[in-house]
Amino acid sequence: MSSVRSQLRLPAGIDADSFLRDYWQRRPLLMRAAMPVDGFTLGADELAGLACEPEFESRLIVERGDRDWQIRHGPFDEADFSRLPESNWTLLVQDVDKFLPEVACLIDSFDFVPAWRVDDIMISYACDQGGVGPHTDDYDVFLMQAGGRRRWRISEKHYSDADLLPGLEQRILAHFETEQEWVLEPGDVLYLPPGVAHWGIAEGECMTYSLGFRTPNQQELAADWYQHLVSLCGVRRLRDPDDLPGHGPSQLTEGVHTLAANLLSALPDTRSDDFRIWLGRYLTEPKPQFQIMPPARQWTNADLVDWIARGGDLGRHPFARLAWQRLSETELVLFYQGEDLRLPVILKDAVSLIAARRRIDNHAVARLLKTTPEFCDLLLRLLNQGIIEPTETA
Ligand code: SIN
Ligand code: CO
């Protein structure tokens, strides 16, 4: 795995700041020759191999005729592939970055967009005319053309659930009005914000890597936040108020409302540190299958010093989700895998180094250990939880 991967080559006149201001979550952007093609190393047969493994989530989508789509879920076997038609099908494998470091390191090319929102890299292989049909996604996506050619059509018209083909598990639009279209060549990247309808059709065999982002909706945020509040609640009961009416015993008085409101207003609100910490934990929560186990042998201080002295690099576990936030003048909080760790602000450079990169360079670690000895305890803790790991034998 190469330790330094080039950043995405944005089109002339657009830099990271103007991309974030003018395109991110707003408008599609086609980026020609934005990535080196030698970064896309997986072959079609290897992708099919992954789709036969139970730990990979995979789908086969076959377009059998007008409005007739067949969707099957993996794991597959060789016989499934040998029965496929000559054209009009595609194989999709999710979360490939979690298992293949050479795929995960492609994410570093996009280090100017919010890293804590990255979901996964899905890889698709399509034979001629294959695709998943016209649809909208609820999240941002960078569609990287890894091999072959694919025609992408997009439409910024608003489509709703009423526009979907009925009775299908896959969300496919029944009608699609093409507003723009391009043929993507290897190395081209198309950015699409959430909600822009798109339809990719392979022209000959092709492979596409999709870097997808997560976005919780209001309902999901509320469900988790209010569940968190419930977990903080005690069993103190509502008492009767002082303004009980002597007549009309079934009347709910203002006093009842006030006492009920007081019971609830004792809970943290969305301006509290409790909310900030809950949010960081929620946003770094992994999918259930991507929990991280501690290493078999615990690291000691001496092990760490020795590893760094011998030039060893450290890297983030491929399942790890990290983010951090400044809480006050003196305190920050590092979030990982749905957990939080409050730290003194002196560790800010160390925390941003760990959270920013998949691979943590030996020299940067050595430098920080010298200037900030507190970094040693933090690294040991993360190593012993499996969040950070040695990348190669030093
Ligand atoms: C694909 O790779 O075929 C699908 C990507 C997408 O439409 O989001
Ligand atoms: Co899509």
Side-chain angles (χ1 to χ4, degrees):
M1 178 173 73
S2 85
S3 60
V4 183
R5 182 142 287 282
S6 56
Q7 221 194 32
L8 183 77
R9 211 171 310 125
L10 289 161
I14 300 177
D15 61 14
D17 289 335
S18 59
F19 175 83
L20 289 173
R21 188 187 60 229
D22 301 333
Y23 295 94
W24 182 243
Q25 305 233 284
R26 289 181 179 80
R27 290 155 60 197
L29 179 66
L30 173 66
M31 295 168 262
R32 291 284 184 197
M35 297 189 75
V37 286
D38 60 6
F40 304 113
T41 49
L42 202 74
D45 287 346
E46 287 164 298
L47 187 72
L50 301 183
C52 297
E53 304 290 338
E55 61 268 39
F56 285 87
E57 193 185 320
S58 56
R59 278 168 297 162
L60 264 172
I61 301 185
V62 186
E63 187 181 1
R64 295 190 295 200
D66 189 29
R67 297 171 170 247
D68 182 7
W69 296 80
Q70 185 196 54
I71 293 120
R72 284 191 292 140
H73 292 271
F76 299 104
D77 57 29
E78 264 182 49
D80 292 312
F81 292 114
S82 61
R83 279 194 291 264
L84 286 166
E86 286 282 291
S87 66
N88 295 73
W89 61 266
T90 184
L91 168 70
L92 305 114
V93 184
Q94 297 294 146
D95 284 298
V96 183
D97 55 297
K98 309 297 186 298
F99 301 96
L100 302 188
E102 64 274 24
V103 173
C105 75
L106 294 172
I107 301 173
D108 286 340
S109 309
F110 299 85
D111 63 2
F112 53 96
V113 295
W116 48 269
R117 285 202 36 229
V118 168
D119 187 3
D120 75 331
I121 291 188
M122 175 184 82
I123 303 185
S124 68
Y125 163 82
C127 63
D128 189 35
Q129 301 303 305
V132 302
H135 64 283
T136 55
D137 294 315
D138 291 331
Y139 47 79
D140 310 79
V141 65
F142 288 99
L143 298 158
M144 299 169 250
Q145 192 60 27
R149 289 150 55 97
R150 187 191 281 275
R151 181 174 298 274
W152 281 104
R153 301 185 164 132
I154 67 163
S155 166
E156 293 188 63
K157 182 176 171 284
H158 176 75
Y159 295 94
S160 71
D161 284 359
D163 298 306
L164 295 174
L165 281 177
L168 283 183
E169 162 199 339
Q170 189 79 14
R171 294 167 58 82
I172 298 177
L173 294 166
H175 312 279
F176 183 86
E177 283 173 34
T178 304
E179 289 172 349
Q180 292 187 78
E181 68 178 276
W182 308 276
V183 176
L184 266 67
E185 307 272 349
D188 294 348
V189 176
L190 176 60
Y191 164 70
L192 295 176
V196 172
H198 49 288
W199 187 4
I201 301 173
E203 301 204 336
E205 287 178 290
C206 87
M207 282 184 88
T208 303
Y209 287 36
S210 307
L211 173 61
F213 291 77
R214 287 189 190 184
T215 29
N217 64 27
Q218 188 185 34
Q219 197 175 54
E220 288 158 349
L221 277 178
D224 207 274
W225 170 241
Y226 291 115
Q227 193 186 353
H228 171 69
L229 289 185
V230 170
S231 76
L232 302 179
C233 289
V235 288
R236 216 168 89 214
R237 276 185 200 282
L238 186 63
R239 290 175 50 81
D240 279 348
D242 293 337
D243 65 347
L244 288 177
H247 301 286
S250 54
Q251 188 190 347
L252 289 178
T253 61
E254 268 315 296
V256 180
H257 282 241
T258 305
L259 287 179
N262 287 349
L263 265 187
L264 295 183
S265 61
L267 292 167
D269 65 19
T270 52
R271 286 163 310 200
S272 62
D273 276 357
D274 198 273
F275 179 76
R276 287 167 194 276
I277 298 222
W278 164 80
L279 186 62
R281 293 173 64 134
Y282 177 76
L283 294 172
T284 57
E285 190 70 57
K287 291 178 189 163
Q289 67 272 37
F290 298 132
Q291 306 294 333
I292 296 177
M293 293 298 145
R297 200 176 75 79
Q298 291 283 289
W299 283 68
T300 64
N301 207 318
D303 295 332
L304 176 58
V305 170
D306 183 52
W307 179 261
I308 298 301
R310 286 193 290 133
D313 286 332
L314 298 173
R316 191 196 299 179
H317 189 289
F319 296 176
R321 298 181 61 78
L322 288 107
W324 67 276
Q325 188 177 34
R326 185 99 182 226
L327 268 191
S328 68
E329 286 292 301
T330 55
E331 205 180 16
L332 56 84
V333 55
L334 173 66
F335 301 104
Y336 53 90
Q337 305 305 92
E339 291 189 34
D340 65 277
L341 182 60
R342 287 179 178 227
L343 296 165
V345 112
I346 194 170
L347 283 167
K348 180 172 160 288
D349 289 347
V351 162
S352 58
L353 175 76
I354 290 174
R357 293 251 144 215
R358 242 143 270 278
R359 179 135 178 171
I360 312 160
D361 171 66
N362 173 280
H363 298 293
V365 175
R367 244 191 331 271
L368 270 167
L369 281 173
K370 241 184 230 141
T371 55
T372 323
E374 295 85 342
F375 186 31
C376 189
D377 283 350
L378 172 61
L379 272 183
L380 277 179
R381 184 178 184 130
L382 297 175
L383 278 161
N384 285 329
Q385 286 186 274
I387 306 296
I388 301 284
E389 20 176 52
T391 47
E392 274 153 30
T393 315

